[in-house]
Amino acid sequence: DEAMRALENGLHVMLFSDNVPLEKEIALKKFAQRRGLLVMGPDCGTAIINGVPLAFANVVNRGNIGIVAAAGTGLQEVSCIISNAGAGISQAIGTGGRDVKREVGGIMFLEGLKALAKDEQTRVILLVSKPPHKDVLRRIEKLAKTIRKPIVTSFVGAYTQEDRPSTLEEAALIAVALSQRKPRDEVASRLVARDKEILRTAKREAGKRKRNQKYVRGLFSGGTFCAEAQVLFKTLLTGVYSNAPVGNTKQLRDSLVSQKHSVIDLGEDEFTVGRPHPMIDYSLRNRRILVEAADPETAVILLDVVLGYGAHPDPAAELSGVVRQASRKVSAVCSVTGTNQDPQNQGRVEAALRKAGAIVMPSNAAACNLAGQIIQHLKKK
């Protein structure tokens, strides 16, 4: 009701709340569309408008890359990678994850794309989402063809016209290259060189593990990261289970009990009813880390750590103790999404986690790749 009242008064809306009925979301977005207004949400966790971070967002450089995202932690990941690479953000428009589902039809994703096409500060557009419904994907691609600005897409787990999924990191770095008028091919060569280093690290870590250690246990606070892990594991692992399955991943029978390779989205409603989001409250994940580390078949524990406004003010203090305990038995692999300008300071958090025994990678994609490669090397033992 408050969102509709704001729209009636000519205001754009960011709606953080979840559990809003789908029909209400559709009604709000159709009303806004007729008025030329944006409704970011429901369940929109992140946006950066005119340089102001809203909700779970990071302190990033201003610049000429505009983002439309139906994935909150996906938006955080790409905006931080862009900023840390020396480029910056003009606008980052969140839509809420349901926007790209068939029922909503991508109403605000398309409106956000149109807004960035007109925005004078935006030179390059980056689109981020978990897999849109195929009809919505067609609408997005049709509109994108009419826009003269370069557009980079990272629809995690969906096949775009390039016929291959891209990682969030790769998409962000390509957007940076385009914004700086550099060849996008440089990105691929940099990532290939990095992959060689990952293979060396994986071989070293596999050498520390016992023969019966064979599974990855991913414990994510970000749903987009959980989805990206599943996509990347598709070519590396067999027998992957999740409480939020994507693609060929199987549904866990019980979200509290891992099966084989398991990737858990701890931000799903089943875990957040009556307790804060896992980016704020680490207690549930910390307990789960120790449970997984005690399993003699666990080889790798894979984590995301998300910084910024709204997130836990000192994640290093929360995680260091359990990571230190876990890393005596398993390989603890993580990525830290953030910048050194964030209240928590990315560099300080990364240093503390390394000191506790974690292997800290520069992106979620790199962390997932390392986790998968460790398992590949263990198979050869």
Side-chain angles (χ1 to χ4, degrees):
D1 292 344
E2 292 299 328
M4 183 60 82
R5 192 171 294 124
L7 293 171
E8 289 168 349
N9 283 281
L11 297 171
H12 299 290
V13 167
M14 180 181 178
L15 187 51
F16 184 88
S17 307
D18 57 7
N19 297 310
V20 175
L22 189 60
E23 61 271 18
K24 294 273 190 182
E25 176 172 350
I26 295 167
L28 285 168
K29 290 183 171 178
K30 286 185 174 179
F31 183 88
Q33 185 182 38
R34 291 194 296 271
R35 299 288 186 97
L37 297 169
L38 294 176
V39 174
M40 296 179 284
D43 203 14
C44 177
T46 306
I48 303 170
I49 304 298
N50 296 331
V52 179
L54 302 175
F56 290 121
N58 302 84
V59 184
V60 298
N61 300 330
R62 296 296 301 275
N64 60 11
I65 299 173
I67 304 169
V68 183
T73 43
L75 194 161
Q76 288 189 263
E77 176 86 333
V78 296
S79 63
C80 290
I81 290 170
I82 287 166
S83 188
N84 292 335
I89 307 302
S90 55
Q91 308 287 346
I93 300 169
T95 68
R98 291 193 305 199
D99 192 79
V100 293
K101 295 189 181 296
R102 181 180 61 83
E103 294 84 356
V104 184
I107 296 172
M108 281 301 138
F109 204 94
L110 295 168
E111 291 302 309
L113 180 50
K114 290 175 190 173
L116 293 181
K118 294 175 187 173
D119 179 40
E120 292 182 3
Q121 304 302 315
T122 299
R123 201 182 90 74
V124 177
I125 298 171
L126 174 56
L127 306 178
V128 177
S129 174
K130 295 178 196 173
H133 185 270
K134 61 184 180 180
D135 294 341
V136 177
L137 183 58
R138 276 197 291 269
R139 287 182 204 129
I140 294 167
E141 289 176 338
K142 184 178 178 182
L143 176 59
K145 287 176 183 175
T146 70
I147 295 170
R148 302 189 66 175
K149 296 177 181 181
I151 298 175
V152 184
T153 61
S154 182
F155 297 144
V156 177
Y159 280 83
T160 61
Q161 288 186 330
E162 288 82 39
D163 199 33
R164 64 173 181 80
S166 169
T167 66
L168 294 164
E169 179 184 29
E170 183 183 13
L173 292 175
I174 289 171
V176 170
L178 293 171
S179 79
Q180 297 174 342
R181 303 182 191 276
K182 294 178 181 176
R184 60 187 287 163
D185 294 348
E186 287 182 7
V187 173
S189 58
R190 277 169 55 197
L191 292 177
V192 166
R194 209 261 312 280
D195 286 348
K196 290 179 180 175
E197 180 60 35
I198 285 174
L199 287 173
R200 286 192 286 271
T201 304
K203 187 175 182 181
R204 185 183 71 236
E205 283 301 304
K208 300 176 184 177
R209 307 277 70 86
K210 297 174 183 175
R211 185 165 290 183
N212 62 319
Q213 292 181 278
K214 52 189 174 181
Y215 295 130
V216 174
R217 301 288 159 76
L219 303 173
F220 292 95
S221 59
T224 313
F225 294 147
C226 183
E228 185 174 47
Q230 294 173 60
V231 172
L232 295 172
F233 286 162
K234 187 177 175 183
T235 57
L236 290 169
L237 307 175
T238 54
V240 180
Y241 291 78
S242 178
N243 65 324
V246 172
N248 296 327
T249 302
K250 299 181 180 73
Q251 177 77 46
L252 272 173
R253 286 192 297 270
D254 181 347
S255 299
L256 297 173
V257 181
S258 293
Q259 296 171 245
K260 297 186 177 179
H261 304 293
S262 292
V263 284
I264 313 298
D265 177 5
L266 291 162
E268 280 284 291
D269 288 351
E270 62 186 308
F271 291 115
T272 58
V273 173
R275 65 161 61 91
H277 192 278
M279 291 198 299
I280 301 168
D281 179 0
Y282 279 59
S283 58
L284 181 66
R285 183 159 67 164
N286 283 351
R287 289 197 295 273
R288 188 70 179 264
I289 288 170
L290 297 178
V291 168
E292 300 296 355
D295 184 340
E297 292 189 319
T298 302
V300 182
I301 290 178
L302 176 62
L303 307 169
D304 62 338
V305 181
V306 185
L307 312 182
Y309 295 115
H312 193 286
D314 193 359
E318 285 287 304
L319 275 172
S320 291
V322 292
V323 166
R324 189 171 288 109
Q325 281 182 256
S327 61
R328 296 181 189 131
K329 301 174 183 176
V330 303
S331 298
V333 178
C334 69
S335 63
V336 179
T337 298
T339 71
N340 285 346
Q341 290 71 47
D342 279 330
Q344 303 88 343
N345 187 291
Q346 183 190 28
R348 194 158 55 233
V349 173
E350 289 183 344
L353 291 173
R354 287 192 178 100
K355 188 177 179 181
I359 305 167
V360 182
M361 301 302 290
S363 69
N364 182 62
C368 293
N369 191 2
L370 175 58
Q373 293 296 346
I374 291 170
I375 302 303
Q376 288 288 314
H377 280 287
L378 284 169
K379 285 181 182 177
K380 299 172 187 175
K381 287 185 90 169

